[in-house]
Amino acid sequence: MLKTAVQEQLLPGDTLQAKWEFAQQAGYDAIELRGKGGLHFASRLDELKQARKDGVVMPTVCVDMLHFLGAFDEDLRRDALTQMRSQLTVIAEIGGTGAQTPASYGMFSRRLPPFEPPRGEAEDREILLAGLTELGEHARREGVTLFLEPLNRYEDHMVNRLDQAADLIRATGLDSVRIGIDSYHMNIEESDPAAAILAHADLVGHAQVSDSNRFQPGAGHLDWRAWLAALHTIGYDGHLALECRLTGDPVEAVRSVPAFLKRSGA
């Protein structure tokens, strides 16, 4: 059965409990949290525990940071790993399933000058494998999963497609690292998004949704029937987490998504 989630910043309300009330009324099954840097997510632990006690369903957290595990600067890279270990621990403490992160975001693009990054592909791979292994081992100890998200070529130069993420994940040898797919990035990078899902069925662990223009599903031209059918075929039983910008009335835009996805996946 199709399950939907919505990221917390898209919901009206001043508390997670108020946001959850709206989310349920709109037809969502969960809230996806956002994990800022500076150990901010850990500072919310009491708030998150109370929300869980009050019935708020919060299976996943998506990072909201300025640097990531693939950073060029060693200090920034180490800080990103510290932040991610903390976020994995916190999501485990509130009974969640895992945390999603890209290799990097906005750090470099081969599609923009100067076109060649300051670090070569071999060193990129070495650094990513080291970081994924460290975080994957921590996730395994905590009983949760690290989801590696491929981003489009304009936002990251290292991991753009599912096959690239799959190669790295298999090299770690860890079941606690999986692919976190995103319909928007797949629309740009995959020649056939549905076929990519089928090809990596064993590694798809989480899914985020937005349309081809990064607005809410239904506002663009993505082939949702094919994309959702592929997830159904592989037996994906996680949430479809709304991560997008909003066009039109923001409240109505958020409210429209569960019904749209259910119609498209029928």
Side-chain angles (χ1 to χ4, degrees):
M1 180 178 175
L2 187 149
K3 298 184 295 184
T4 56
V6 53
Q7 290 195 344
E8 59 179 311
Q9 78 279 4
L10 299 175
L11 292 166
D14 296 328
T15 65
L16 282 170
Q17 289 84 345
K19 291 174 183 288
W20 178 231
E21 183 177 355
F22 175 91
Q24 288 180 290
Q25 291 173 354
Y28 291 96
D29 303 288
I31 292 177
E32 178 161 89
L33 300 168
R34 296 280 286 194
K36 296 181 180 179
L39 298 178
H40 181 261
F41 196 56
S43 75
R44 297 179 62 191
L45 186 56
D46 289 344
E47 170 204 359
L48 298 175
K49 285 183 173 180
Q50 184 60 53
R52 184 191 182 194
K53 187 179 297 185
D54 293 336
V56 182
V57 180
M58 303 167 287
T60 53
V61 57
C62 179
V63 299
D64 183 12
M65 304 191 305
L66 296 178
H67 48 269
F68 300 86
L69 63 98
F72 293 134
D73 181 88
E74 177 65 14
D75 290 339
L76 293 179
R77 188 178 75 84
R78 289 308 316 170
D79 180 70
L81 293 173
T82 297
Q83 303 300 323
M84 285 308 304
R85 286 198 307 271
S86 175
Q87 292 186 26
L88 288 163
T89 295
V90 171
I91 202 68
E93 286 196 53
I94 61 170
T97 58
Q100 178 142 322
T101 182
S104 71
Y105 170 77
M107 186 175 80
F108 195 89
S109 171
R110 292 181 186 274
R111 302 295 168 170
L112 299 169
F115 299 113
E116 286 301 321
R119 191 173 65 202
E121 291 185 15
E123 191 178 358
D124 277 347
R125 180 178 176 81
E126 180 182 348
I127 283 173
L128 292 181
L129 281 177
L132 291 171
T133 299
E134 178 179 332
L135 294 176
E137 289 175 345
H138 183 79
R140 181 174 58 185
R141 290 191 294 270
E142 295 287 2
V144 291
T145 302
L146 176 74
F147 304 114
L148 175 63
E149 179 182 3
L151 301 188
N152 71 75
R153 69 195 71 179
Y154 305 104
E155 298 178 21
D156 176 32
H157 72 287
M158 293 180 287
V159 184
N160 308 127
R161 302 183 311 276
L162 268 60
D163 65 306
Q164 293 171 314
D167 175 62
L168 289 165
I169 291 168
R170 290 194 174 97
T172 70
L174 293 166
D175 292 336
S176 52
V177 185
R178 288 291 180 262
I179 305 173
I181 66 173
D182 184 301
S183 57
Y184 167 74
H185 297 295
M186 292 183 70
N187 175 69
I188 296 172
E189 294 296 337
E190 304 291 349
S191 58
D192 186 335
I197 290 172
L198 298 177
H200 304 290
D202 60 321
L203 290 178
V204 174
H206 185 50
Q208 292 179 333
V209 293
S210 61
D211 219 312
S212 56
N213 50 12
R214 204 41 161 168
F215 289 128
Q216 70 271 12
H221 61 249
L222 198 149
D223 186 348
W224 287 103
R225 288 193 180 278
W227 200 81
L228 293 170
L231 285 177
H232 177 74
T233 298
I234 70 172
Y236 176 73
D237 60 359
H239 291 85
L240 304 177
L242 180 65
E243 181 190 44
C244 67
R245 299 182 181 91
L246 302 171
T247 184
D249 179 81
V251 171
E252 291 308 311
V254 172
R255 200 192 304 273
S256 72
V257 172
F260 172 80
L261 291 175
K262 285 179 171 63
R263 290 195 305 272
S264 300

